[in-house]
Amino acid sequence: MLGIWLNLCLAVFATLSLSAGISFFVEERDAGYTRGYVLLFGIAACLICGGYAVMGFMPQTEYTFIPRLIGLYGIDVFLLMELSYLTLELHRSQGLRSVIIGFFALYVLLDLIVFGRPSALIYVRY
């Protein structure tokens, strides 16, 4: 019973984060580049929570790797956007920023390849 409530909370948070990101993007026209980052953070949080909420509600555990992959992609996008925002706020040069983000994008690709496979998931439902 607790698992159902936790998955419902994740689904609600996914919806709220997406709606908050979209409303900030629409309403705050003078926010500059922060406006776009808030929208991307909202989308990434929606992918994370929505993916893991759907994973918890799936009846067949052999297909749970698909929403888990979506949640994992959301985590990687969130970290990538956070790193990009930090390097932009710290006023690093464009070349250094591109190298840092390029290495992290390679990490994202390898993370999805290694942990996104169906055999990498051992999922036990209680």
Side-chain angles (χ1 to χ4, degrees):
M1 186 70 174
L2 178 65
I4 292 172
W5 285 106
L6 290 175
N7 288 329
L8 284 174
C9 287
L10 279 174
V12 167
F13 184 72
T15 306
L16 286 176
S17 64
L18 183 62
S19 63
I22 290 173
S23 91
F24 185 86
F25 185 77
V26 169
E27 296 295 325
E28 299 295 329
R29 300 205 186 279
D30 299 330
Y33 60 86
T34 305
R35 180 177 170 218
Y37 277 105
V38 170
L39 177 64
L40 290 174
F41 283 136
I43 291 170
C46 180
L47 286 173
I48 295 167
C49 294
Y52 286 112
V54 170
M55 184 180 102
F57 285 128
M58 289 190 77
Q60 288 90 10
T61 57
E62 63 265 8
Y63 298 116
T64 55
F65 74 94
I66 297 169
R68 181 180 183 267
L69 186 64
I70 293 170
L72 187 62
Y73 179 72
I75 291 170
D76 290 338
V77 166
F78 194 89
L79 291 174
L80 185 66
M81 288 301 110
E82 187 176 1
L83 185 65
S84 173
Y85 187 72
L86 282 174
T87 56
L88 188 64
E89 282 293 313
L90 292 174
H91 303 293
R92 298 294 166 209
S93 68
Q94 186 65 29
L96 180 64
R97 187 170 178 251
S98 298
V99 168
I100 291 171
I101 292 172
F103 277 124
F104 196 79
L106 180 65
Y107 159 76
V108 166
L109 180 67
L110 292 174
D111 186 40
L112 290 175
I113 289 171
V114 171
F115 294 111
R117 295 177 292 128
S119 62
L121 176 65
I122 298 171
Y123 186 65
V124 177
R125 187 174 303 218
Y126 293 103

